[in-house]
Structures are given as structure tokens and as C-alpha cells.
Amino acid sequence: MNKKYFIETYGCQMNKSDSELMQLSMDSEGFTEAADKNEADIIIYNTCSVRKNAEDRAYSNIRESKAHMRRKNGIVVASGCMAQRIGQKFIDDKIADLVIGPYTSPRIGQIVKNYIKGGRQQLFISQEKDKFTERLNPGLISSKDSTPWHKWITITHGCENFCTYCIVPYVRGPLISFSSGHILDFIKKSAMSGVMEITLLGQNVNQYGQDNKDIPFYELLDRASLINGIEKINFLTSHPKDFDHRIVDVISSRGNIADSIHLPLQSGSDSILQAMNRKYSVEHYLKIIEKIKSTLESYFISTDIIVGFPGETEKDFLETLNVIKQVGYDEIFTYAYSPRLGTTASGLENQVPEETKKERLSELIKAHREAAHAKLKTFVGNQQRIIIERVSKKDDNKVMGRTFLNHPAVMDGNINDIGRIYNIKITELKGATFIAEKI
Ligand code: SF4
């Protein structure tokens, strides 16, 4: 077909994985990847709907591209969550030629090809389960990216939890778990082709298998850890309401699962958790933390917090602050609540002023930094294992990687170290990064 395409990806890792699938589909239909947008005949925007400013940015980039592409008779495609949410608007505003939702995006190559041949359908946002394309495309095993030793492996698609602030269930549809047989086979083949680190990916990995009566997540994790050649397993994201304590036991009994758990708290106030429809209490959450701390010798716990959810009082906020101090997180991702049209919380009247959100955010970050820094300092002098990810941006004679607890560390090295595992000794702490030496 001799036409070039370029994919611009916004948002989460799930979108990045979808972009890989789209790339495979485009390549298999004979399109070639362009070095940048200017060189492309087809520009694909893989959009994100989680935050309003990400949507605004994507919308204006798509509009700008369409103006540019009109002059060269090129094609603009809107895909991803925003395509699912406001698909028809892209067509009505005449700023995208094709709109392709997450269910159909793995077939994008075929769709674009048909359109070039004169096909008239522009909108592809069906969410019928039988149209759901298999995401564990075997082609992904051999597709090489900038980290060939690592694979993101999507184990579920969609979410049906309807947290009141979140747009995901509306745009990604209900939970679909992929068969454990397919997943394990994919991991085995990936390991045979040189992959040694994997990240199992889902909106809520703890719900894995609930829809198709497959094995539970802790068992999937255990079976994956027994595959030859897999040195490190990460998983994202956990929902406290479905978190099975046996996950921690599996981590503790295997040497190749990162002792690193991302457990979104969102709020430390029970009444706000209830308003968010999170379906767990702070007490339940803290029991999981207790299990992690009492079972694992060393651990890395990270979380997501939303401040300024509608109705959040100073007392609610102080309760969140208390949990932050009590848990002593290694990393927190903080967000000021931003209403998403179409979600239940966006219609609530008791919205928190922006100024208050800002103040609460900075107080939270300050409390976390102090606790995290004190914990990080205790690692100096320790030995750890590390996978080297890249050459340092500041110094060609230094390399950077993540330890098996997922802390970033820098040490002497060069390009040949990328993708290799080393035992290291941590000698110093600079900001939140360890300085280390190979043992
Ligand atoms: S669990 Fe809640 S926050 Fe996470 S994707 Fe589902 S609805 Fe959104």
C-alpha cells in the first residue's frame, strides 16, 4: 500500500499496549511506520478520557492535524477512550476521517485499508463482546520495542466497578478476562524469545477470572512465576476490595515477583470512599497493608490519592493524611479531583474549591516526601538486584535501572548493560534515586 502511519498515544499503559496492537495491525496490512507526523499519510491519535485537560489537548491536536492533512489528502484517525466517548462528534465536526473505539482498534489496519478503497463507514465503536478481538496477539511476542527484555501483558480488558469519579467503565466496557491458557502460553513464548521481565496489566487485576470462571489472579501469578526464564514479574492495578491475601503469600514464596504493590487508596475517609463507590473501608485497606508488611521481608508500596472529591471536608482530608503517615508509602500519585462529564460524581453539588484542592495536594505531597525519604535512607548499604533499562541522560558512562523493589538506581556502565541483571550495592541516595555499584 506504500502509505506511512504515525501513532500518537495519550494516557495509561493500557493505551500504550493498544497502540502496539494497532501498530501490528497496520504493519500486517502493508503500511509502514513514519518517523514523525509530518512524514505520515495516516495519523492515529490513541486518546485518553480520564482527565479533561488530556481530552482538550488531544481534541485540539486532532483538529490541527486534520487541517494539515486536508492539504495533503491524508487520513486522521481518532481511537482510544475519547473515540468511544464522543466518537460521533469527531465526525460531525469533520476533524477525523475514522473513529475507532478500543474494542475494534486491533483491527485498525483492515479498517483503514477499506476506507482508502472507498469504504464509507467512519464510526467503529461497537462494544459487543463477540466483536472483541483477541488482545494476546502472537505477533506481539516478536515485536521489538525499546525494552526487548520486558513485555506488558494485558490479562483483562474493561471494568465494571463504576467508581463514581471514573469514566473507564463507560468507555472500555465490562470486565473481560483472557484465558489463563493463552496468557501462560504467551508468557512462555515471550520468555523463549528473550523476555525476562513481564508486567501483568488490567484495570483491576484482582478481579481476573471472575467473569469467565478461570483461575483466580493469585494462581495466575503463581503459574507465571514458574515459567523458565522469567526473572521479574510486576502487576498493575490492584483494587483493595478484591485483593486476596494469597497474592502476598505467592510473592513471598517465589523469588521472581517484585515485592512491589500498587494499591490505590484514593481516600483515607470511609464516607468519601463510600461516595466514590469504592466498596472497601479504611480498616479493610489497612489489613492488606498489615499483611504485606508482616509477610514480606522488604516491600515497596505505592498508591493513588484523589484530593478534593465532592464533599471532602477538612476532617476527611486529615484522615487521608493520617493513612499516608501510617502506611509510609514509597511512592504516591496524587490528583486533584476533576469532574468527568458522564460520571456520577460530576453531578454532585458540593464540589471543593480549586484553591482548597491545591493546598491539600501540597500538604499531602510534603507529608509523603518526608516519610519516603526517611525510608529510602535505610536502604543505603543494602544489596539489591537490578535490571538495567537505559544509559543515563546526563552521563554516557552511567546506566539507570530499577531494583527488584522498583526503586530507580544509577551506576557506572554503558549501552551493553541494557537489559541485563546485576547484583548491586547501594552506596548513596540522591533525591529519590540510589547511587549504586556492581558487586
Ligand atoms: S476500578 Fe474504579 S477507578 Fe479503576 S478503572 Fe474501574 S471504575 Fe475506574
Side-chain angles (χ1 to χ4, degrees), residues 159-163 165-169 203-204 239 266 278:
C159 178
E160 49 206 26
N161 290 313
F162 291 95
C163 300
Y165 52 83
C166 182
I167 196 79
V168 168
Q203 303 292 349
N204 172 9
H239 193 311
Q266 305 302 10
R278 293 287 289 172

Side-chain angles (χ1 to χ4, degrees), residues 30 113 145 151 225 239 242 322 325 334 354 394 433:
K113 203 171 182 179
D145 51 25
K151 277 266 176 261
S225 72
H239 193 311
D242 301 299
N322 270 342
K325 289 177 185 163
T334 51
E354 291 306 315
K394 294 180 193 154
T433 303

Side-chain angles (χ1 to χ4, degrees), residues 8-21:
E8 185 156 302
T9 309
Y10 298 80
C12 66
Q13 188 52 52
M14 198 63 91
N15 256 18
K16 289 180 189 141
S17 287
D18 285 359
S19 288
E20 273 188 50
L21 283 169

Side-chain angles (χ1 to χ4, degrees), residues 69-255:
M69 292 298 260
R70 238 176 236 126
R71 292 193 285 272
K72 60 190 261 192
N73 212 13
I75 294 171
V76 174
V77 184
S79 71
C81 293
M82 205 177 160
Q84 191 68 43
R85 197 176 82 76
I86 57 158
Q88 187 62 46
K89 183 169 164 53
F90 285 118
I91 309 280
D92 293 345
D93 292 355
K94 296 190 170 40
I95 64 164
D97 302 284
L98 288 166
V99 175
I100 305 177
Y103 270 53
T104 22
S105 57
R107 287 195 289 113
I108 191 169
Q110 236 175 297
I111 294 171
V112 173
K113 203 171 182 179
N114 285 344
Y115 183 75
I116 291 171
K117 283 183 181 160
R120 303 189 62 155
Q121 188 179 347
Q122 290 181 283
L123 196 61
F124 297 84
I125 54 170
S126 147
Q127 284 190 318
E128 288 164 50
K129 214 168 165 174
D130 63 346
K131 295 229 173 80
F132 194 81
T133 318
E134 179 56 78
R135 304 246 148 182
L136 292 169
N137 185 324
L140 285 176
I141 295 169
S142 53
S143 71
K144 294 280 176 247
D145 51 25
S146 54
T147 58
W149 67 90
H150 174 271
K151 277 266 176 261
W152 295 94
I153 298 180
T154 307
I155 62 167
T156 66
H157 184 269
C159 178
E160 49 206 26
N161 290 313
F162 291 95
C163 300
T164 54
Y165 52 83
C166 182
I167 196 79
V168 168
Y170 303 93
V171 290
R172 291 248 164 199
L175 174 76
I176 300 175
S177 302
F178 304 146
S179 101
S180 56
H182 275 140
I183 295 169
L184 294 166
D185 190 49
F186 186 90
I187 299 172
K188 261 182 221 147
K189 288 181 177 147
S190 299
M192 278 156 63
S193 75
V195 167
M196 61 177 176
E197 180 180 4
I198 56 168
T199 303
L200 304 176
L201 198 63
Q203 303 292 349
N204 172 9
V205 291
N206 308 121
Q207 266 183 310
Y208 175 79
Q210 285 181 10
D211 55 317
N212 61 354
K213 308 281 176 281
D214 207 320
I215 54 174
F217 178 65
Y218 72 87
E219 209 171 315
L220 181 72
L221 193 59
D222 198 28
R223 290 191 196 178
S225 72
L226 295 173
I227 292 174
N228 262 344
I230 295 298
E231 300 280 351
K232 185 182 177 196
I233 303 179
N234 316 286
F235 57 91
L236 274 178
T237 290
S238 285
H239 193 311
K241 85 176 165 65
D242 301 299
F243 192 94
D244 189 317
H245 285 210
R246 283 172 286 191
I247 293 172
V248 186
D249 295 327
V250 169
I251 297 175
S252 148
S253 65
R254 306 289 175 209

Side-chain angles (χ1 to χ4, degrees), residues 52-76:
K52 186 174 179 306
N53 52 9
E55 276 203 348
D56 292 347
R57 191 158 51 94
Y59 189 86
S60 91
N61 286 347
I62 294 171
R63 191 177 44 201
E64 218 173 273
S65 275
K66 182 63 200 163
H68 168 73
M69 292 298 260
R70 238 176 236 126
R71 292 193 285 272
K72 60 190 261 192
N73 212 13
I75 294 171
V76 174

